[in-house]
Amino acid sequence: MKFRHFSLLFALVLAFSTFFSSFASAENNVKPNLVALGDSITFGWNLENNGNSEPSPKAFPYLIGNGNYDVTKNISDGGWTTSHLLTEINKPENLAAIKNADVITLDIGSKDFLQNDAIKALRANPTTPIDPVAFGKIIQEISGNLFKNLGAIIGTIKAQNSDARIIIYNIYNPFSDTLASLYPLGEQFLPGVNAGIQGVAAQSHLLLADAYSAYKGKQAELILPNGDVHPNVELTESLS
C-alpha cells in the first residue's frame, strides 16, 4: 500500500514536535514560527514539479508536525554548500527571520562533498579507480571546512536568537540506482563525518535528526531515480 507522505528522513522530525508543543497558544491558536536552513533537500528539489524556482510545498519543513508550524522563511537552494548558507544567513532579512523563529532546522553539508570536483568526477564515471590515500585527504579537507562553517552558522543563529530550538540533520548516503556502485564509498567516510556533526550538535546543545540511519539500506525506496540524490515524496508501506 502506498501513501502520500514524505521521506523517512523527515518523518524523524515529527518525533521532535512534542518538544515544541509549548510554543503554541491554546487560546489564540498561533502557530510557532519555523525557519528552515539548508540546501536542495530543504528546498525540495525535484519534488512535485515545483520548477525549482521556489521551495516546494512538499519539502520537509512544511510537513513538520503535520503543518502545525508556520514556515516564515526557507533559506535554501539547489547546490548550496555550508559556505553558501553562511553567506546567505548574514543578509539582514534572513537575520531578522532567524531572530523571530521558535524552531530552526539545519540540514546542510551534502553538497560540500557532492560539489567537490573529485567527487563530481566519480559521479560522472563511477567505475573510475580510486586512490584511497588521496581520496581520504579530500574527505578530510572537506570535513574540516564543513565543521568550521557549521560552527559559524550556529554561532550566527545563536547570536540572533538564543531561545529557538535548533534541529540539525546529519548526512545520509545519497548513492543509489545508477550510482549504486558508489554506495560503499559513501559508507566508508560518512560515519566519520556524521560523528563530527554529532559532536557539533552536542557541543552547541542542538537536537540531532539521524538521517543517515533512517536512509541506510533504503536508498532504492527513498531517493529519486536516474542518478538523482534527493529524497522522494512517495513511501511504500511495508509493515501493517
Side-chain angles (χ1 to χ4, degrees):
M1 174 181 177
K2 290 187 176 181
F3 58 96
R4 302 293 300 171
H5 211 313
F6 49 98
S7 155
L8 181 59
L9 163 62
F10 305 125
L12 279 173
V13 85
L14 289 178
F16 293 118
S17 63
T18 56
F19 287 96
F20 311 131
S21 59
S22 61
F23 291 123
S25 168
E27 294 182 358
N28 55 23
N29 199 32
V30 174
K31 291 183 178 181
N33 292 334
L34 187 149
V35 171
L37 310 176
D39 53 23
S40 53
I41 298 172
T42 300
F43 189 85
W45 199 260
N46 289 343
L47 289 181
E48 296 297 296
N49 298 316
N50 69 328
N52 296 332
S53 59
E54 295 291 337
S56 169
K58 297 297 182 181
F60 80 91
Y62 304 96
L63 305 175
I64 293 174
N66 293 320
N68 288 324
Y69 294 86
D70 183 11
V71 182
T72 55
K73 194 79 170 179
N74 186 330
I75 306 170
S76 65
D77 208 343
W80 277 11
T81 64
T82 51
S83 295
H84 289 112
L85 182 61
L86 184 57
T87 297
E88 291 295 323
I89 64 171
N90 279 287
K91 293 181 177 179
E93 64 272 21
N94 293 334
L95 291 174
I98 290 169
K99 185 174 182 178
N100 293 316
D102 297 309
V103 180
I104 297 170
T105 61
L106 177 57
D107 185 4
I108 192 77
S110 297
K111 295 302 187 299
D112 288 59
F113 295 94
L114 294 175
Q115 295 286 8
N116 175 269
D117 287 342
I119 296 178
K120 285 167 69 175
L122 283 174
R123 291 177 63 192
N125 186 3
T127 60
T128 301
I130 299 170
D131 179 342
V133 174
F135 189 78
K137 290 181 179 178
I138 291 169
I139 296 300
Q140 186 176 20
E141 180 180 352
I142 297 171
S143 299
N145 188 62
L146 168 67
F147 300 145
K148 181 182 72 174
N149 285 343
L150 283 177
I153 290 167
I154 294 165
T156 300
I157 294 171
K158 292 200 167 190
Q160 295 298 313
N161 188 338
S162 60
D163 296 324
R165 296 294 185 98
I166 305 171
I167 306 168
I168 187 170
Y169 292 77
N170 63 14
I171 300 174
Y172 66 85
N173 189 334
F175 300 125
S176 67
D177 193 44
T178 56
L179 298 175
S181 62
L182 295 180
Y183 180 87
L185 184 64
E187 290 300 292
Q188 288 179 25
F189 74 85
L190 280 176
V193 172
N194 286 332
I197 294 175
Q198 183 176 359
V200 169
Q203 183 176 15
S204 300
H205 306 290
L206 313 185
L207 297 172
L208 177 69
D210 187 3
Y212 173 81
S213 295
Y215 267 77
K216 186 174 174 61
K218 301 182 179 69
Q219 277 75 0
E221 303 169 47
L222 305 178
I223 294 178
L224 292 166
N226 301 320
D228 206 321
V229 295
H230 299 98
N232 60 32
V233 178
E234 296 284 353
L235 273 179
T236 300
E237 187 178 27
S238 59
L239 298 176
S240 61

